[in-house]
Amino acid sequence: MEHTPESGKKLPELSSAPVNRTIRWGGVALLLGGFLMAAFWIIFTNVHGPTSFNEDSPFLGKGMFFWGVMTSTPPSLLVALGLILLYPQLVLPGARLARSGFNLTLIGLIVPAISDLVLGAMGPPLLLPLLGIGLILLGVGSRNNPWMQGGRRTIVLLIGSLLLLATASFFIPQEVSDSFSGYRIFGILVYFLPGLNWAWFGASLWRDKWMEG
């Protein structure tokens, strides 16, 4: 119970249970989405092969197109859901840079995911630079956000940097890229490492709750 300074009367405290529940569900979505992103990419890269040439070695009776969609659509939509649930924590009121980064991030996640689902294949990563820039802006715009300090902000900035690094590989000629399995390295930068970091972000929210008791 709280006391008001004017009357000294007790007022009921607002419960934080709904907020904590939303944070936990956001953590679950990020954890699951990140894990699936990394796991499905491992399957996809073994089905497709390490270069731009599709070797199409089916896994569980499914080929490259199926596993491409599985790598792209469900994980990206889960990560987007997790970020939406965590919006009040990620973006403080008046934080315009963080809000702009958040919106760009959602566009970069949701639009390609739906597009790949409709096409039935993993399409070209045209919005990858937008997603990377969005995450960088979200991280930079969160520098005064206490909830985002430490590991959380670092993870967002790291994922954004990995995606922009992968974007730079667009300028490497295909024959050069294939000579050092560049297609697989690209996937590591876009799916495997970001997936692990999203999963770690989500798991950290549950770990923090356990530590709080």
Side-chain angles (χ1 to χ4, degrees):
M1 304 291 284
E2 292 180 343
H3 293 273
T4 61
E6 294 84 1
S7 63
K9 294 181 179 179
K10 293 183 178 181
L11 295 176
E13 294 179 348
L14 295 177
S15 173
S16 62
V19 174
N20 291 336
R21 190 179 303 114
T22 301
I23 292 175
R24 287 196 294 270
W25 279 113
V28 169
L30 290 179
L31 174 60
L32 184 58
F35 173 78
L36 292 178
M37 186 179 293
F40 283 143
W41 176 81
I42 292 175
I43 298 173
F44 171 79
T45 193
N46 282 283
V47 170
H48 182 282
T51 69
S52 59
F53 175 74
N54 177 25
E55 298 176 2
D56 204 10
S57 303
F59 178 75
L60 298 179
K62 301 295 183 179
M64 180 269 292
F65 295 114
F66 174 83
W67 291 112
V69 172
M70 293 302 292
T71 302
S72 169
T73 299
S76 294
L77 293 180
L78 282 169
V79 169
L81 174 62
L83 294 177
I84 291 171
L85 291 174
L86 295 171
Y87 178 81
Q89 286 70 41
L90 293 169
V91 181
L92 295 179
R96 289 181 292 179
L97 187 61
R99 184 170 62 251
S100 297
F102 181 88
N103 291 333
L104 291 178
T105 297
L106 287 188
I107 294 172
L109 286 167
I110 295 174
V111 172
I114 295 176
S115 174
D116 290 350
L117 181 63
V118 172
L119 293 174
M122 183 187 290
L126 300 178
L127 293 187
L128 185 62
L130 184 71
L131 178 56
I133 291 171
L135 288 167
I136 294 293
L137 292 178
L138 177 58
V140 172
S142 300
R143 61 187 178 276
N144 296 321
N145 182 347
W147 194 83
M148 282 288 285
Q149 297 311 304
R152 293 167 185 164
R153 182 167 175 263
T154 300
I155 287 175
V156 170
L157 290 171
L158 176 59
I159 296 174
S161 300
L162 289 169
L163 299 181
L164 291 182
L165 180 60
T167 301
S169 69
F170 293 169
F171 301 99
I172 301 176
Q174 182 174 307
E175 60 274 13
V176 176
S177 176
D178 285 345
S179 68
F180 58 84
S181 300
Y183 191 82
R184 180 163 289 172
I185 294 174
F186 176 83
I188 291 174
L189 295 175
V190 175
Y191 298 107
F192 186 70
L193 293 179
L196 294 180
N197 277 278
W198 284 126
W200 179 255
F201 193 123
S204 71
L205 302 181
W206 283 84
R207 181 195 62 197
D208 292 347
K209 295 305 175 185
W210 290 332
M211 292 177 66
E212 291 172 4

